[in-house]
Amino acid sequence: MEQLLVHCANAIESNDATLAQQILWVLNNIAPPDGDSNQRLTCAFLRALITRAAKSGTCKMLAAMANAHYNLSIDSHKFSVIELASFVDLTPWHRFGFTAANAAILEAVDGYSVIHIVDLSLTHCMQIPTLIDAIASRFEVLPRLKVTVVGGTEDVPPKLDLSYDELGLKLSNFARSRNIVMEFRVIRSSYADGFSSLIEHIRMQHFVYAESGEALVINCHMMLHYIPDETSSSSPSVRTMFLRALRSLDPTIVILVDEDADFTSNNLVCRLRSAFNYLWIPYDTVDTFLPRGSKQRQWYEADICWKIENVVAHEGLQRVERLELKSHWVQRMRNTGFRGISFGEEAVSEVKTMLDEHAAGWGLKREEDDLVLTWKGHNAVFATAWLPA
């Protein structure tokens, strides 16, 4: 199936509508949208290739024919807070990063009277309640919390059906129920320019208004790969500039959690192969915990379809799914003045306990200072912790 998709991509790129149509016909017959995990994965790539074909030359006719048989619009569900919380709990995909990060954060902020958490998260602060719980149960003298999040990234799934101001109110009420005073701020900022307005806001807060005994925690959960990665010979990439700006803030700790794959190639076939050989993982796992036809399964797979379409069908500024391997991020962090720190035994133990709640295929491995979530031995998500060098 991967070879057929590659041949189809090449045919579309060379505007060979006849060959592309023949391959699409074959794929359409062997990859039904309700088949096994590999067939559903292939079907998602097929849809993405048809979307790409619709934008190019003589293949527009082909796309019009395919559109007659395919509904190419991806149903993007807007989650309530309760739905999103239970959705995130379905697999360790996000919980792994939450668990590892919380353990490292708790260790780093012990003894501080104020903790300022900058939450750059794809999951709309779903990690914060677990962190509040951990702080409330672990510290004798409860610190004050400041939480800063970015608004302006609502175009990336999963989507939430309430505003960040409403979410902040819910989180503040939850913190109060744990006897913790919390301030919540939303900064309008975009990944397109490396969150520059967020950085300036933190700089002002940290160097002008920060209180004595205040810890600055930068929690990056599957968000940094949306920052543009292109590097020209004359200037560093936006990612590098963002990390340099982070370093200049002298944070107490930086947590970086992301998916361990490389979607940065400018070559369509390279990207397609990389995505196919990585995104089989969520399709494979979904069979272990969600029945066919369930709403949650539709939402789960729609999110992966969105990612596949972005990687395959789009170019330029529209292509925002630009994952980088852990090794690349590690090098970036070191180059911009950070040093990695190891996750303690408590963090490892908590991650293992969390994994015991899920399917047997999930595993944990340590790579130097870092933790990596695996599925059937294949790297899925990595967690790293950093201090200013």
Side-chain angles (χ1 to χ4, degrees):
M1 288 188 184
E2 183 187 353
Q3 278 306 112
L4 281 170
L5 288 168
V6 166
H7 288 318
C8 188
N10 280 326
I12 289 169
E13 290 303 273
S14 59
N15 252 335
D16 188 339
T18 304
L19 179 58
Q21 188 177 334
Q22 289 170 345
I23 299 169
L24 285 171
W25 184 84
V26 173
L27 284 167
N28 196 29
N29 280 289
I30 62 174
D34 58 351
D36 63 27
S37 60
N38 208 36
Q39 289 172 318
R40 299 196 311 279
L41 171 71
T42 304
C43 181
F45 276 90
L46 174 60
R47 288 166 53 121
L49 283 171
I50 291 170
T51 303
R52 187 179 181 94
K55 302 175 174 185
S56 64
T58 56
C59 284
K60 285 187 176 174
M61 180 181 69
L62 158 74
M65 293 166 64
N67 269 329
H69 305 289
Y70 267 84
N71 174 20
L72 292 178
S73 63
I74 296 170
D75 179 30
S76 192
H77 178 70
K78 280 200 166 186
F79 291 88
S80 70
V81 170
I82 300 298
E83 283 175 345
L84 185 58
S86 61
F87 183 74
V88 162
D89 279 347
L90 287 172
T91 78
W93 203 267
H94 292 292
R95 288 188 75 197
F96 159 75
F98 294 175
T99 308
N102 284 353
I105 290 168
L106 287 172
E107 200 171 315
V109 302
D110 198 1
Y112 286 89
S113 57
V114 183
I115 303 168
H116 183 185
I117 300 160
V118 179
D119 192 44
L120 286 170
S121 165
L122 188 67
T123 55
H124 309 291
C125 300
M126 287 298 113
Q127 179 179 341
I128 301 300
T130 59
L131 184 57
I132 290 170
D133 258 343
I135 288 170
S137 60
R138 175 157 168 168
F139 295 151
E140 286 183 16
V141 179
L142 295 179
R144 274 198 304 115
L145 278 188
K146 298 176 179 177
V147 176
T148 300
V149 301
V150 290
T153 55
E154 296 90 350
D155 50 339
V156 174
K159 296 177 181 177
L160 200 58
D161 74 350
L162 79 168
S163 71
Y164 265 125
D165 291 328
E166 294 168 304
L167 180 64
L169 195 60
K170 288 180 183 291
L171 286 171
S172 298
N173 289 337
F174 178 75
R176 193 178 303 119
S177 75
R178 299 295 188 271
N179 298 315
I180 292 174
V181 176
M182 189 185 102
E183 298 170 31
F184 187 88
R185 284 196 189 90
V186 187
I187 307 301
R188 298 299 297 181
S189 196
S190 167
Y191 50 75
D193 63 1
F195 299 111
S196 58
S197 52
L198 171 74
I199 292 286
E200 282 314 304
H201 170 83
I202 301 167
R203 195 183 304 285
M204 179 71 75
Q205 292 298 315
H206 196 52
F207 292 115
V208 179
Y209 298 111
E211 302 161 55
S212 60
E214 181 171 320
L216 176 61
V217 175
I218 312 289
N219 185 59
C220 306
H221 185 90
M222 300 194 187
M223 182 75 85
L224 295 199
H225 71 261
Y226 293 107
I227 296 174
D229 65 310
E230 287 94 343
T231 307
S232 69
S233 54
S234 58
S235 61
S237 74
V238 183
R239 288 184 187 185
T240 298
M241 291 191 290
F242 170 78
L243 294 178
R244 283 180 186 167
L246 271 197
R247 175 62 187 83
S248 72
L249 298 172
D250 201 31
T252 310
I253 190 169
V254 176
I255 306 292
L256 172 54
V257 174
D258 218 319
E259 297 163 319
D260 200 7
D262 186 356
F263 295 172
T264 58
S265 175
N266 286 325
N267 180 282
L268 171 64
V269 169
C270 286
R271 279 204 315 275
L272 187 150
R273 282 190 185 280
S274 184
F276 191 86
N277 287 299
Y278 176 69
L279 292 172
W280 69 271
I281 296 174
Y283 272 98
D284 196 42
T285 63
V286 78
D287 286 339
T288 65
F289 65 90
L290 287 176
R292 288 187 183 200
S294 75
K295 276 285 181 202
Q296 285 186 315
R297 178 142 156 180
Q298 288 172 23
W299 301 338
Y300 185 87
E301 295 195 353
D303 272 13
I304 317 167
C305 281
W306 186 92
K307 195 183 282 275
I308 289 168
E309 181 179 302
N310 193 266
V311 170
V312 172
H314 299 292
E315 296 293 350
L317 295 175
Q318 284 183 303
R319 182 162 64 81
V320 297
E321 279 291 342
R322 295 173 180 267
L323 291 173
E324 274 191 286
L325 293 168
K326 175 173 80 74
S327 56
H328 295 177
W329 280 112
V330 166
Q331 200 55 53
R332 281 186 187 277
M333 293 296 285
R334 287 174 180 160
N335 290 346
T336 47
F338 290 96
R339 65 178 176 86
I341 55 170
S342 293
F343 290 89
E345 289 308 314
E346 192 172 331
V348 173
S349 172
E350 287 183 23
V351 170
K352 285 179 176 174
T353 301
M354 181 273 296
L355 291 182
D356 287 341
E357 299 171 21
H358 295 280
W362 294 106
L364 173 69
K365 68 179 180 183
R366 301 184 80 157
E367 291 182 352
E368 297 178 344
D369 293 330
D370 315 322
L371 299 182
V372 180
L373 175 71
T374 62
W375 173 254
K376 297 181 178 177
H378 296 267
N379 286 17
V381 178
F382 67 84
T384 61
W386 303 87
L387 300 178

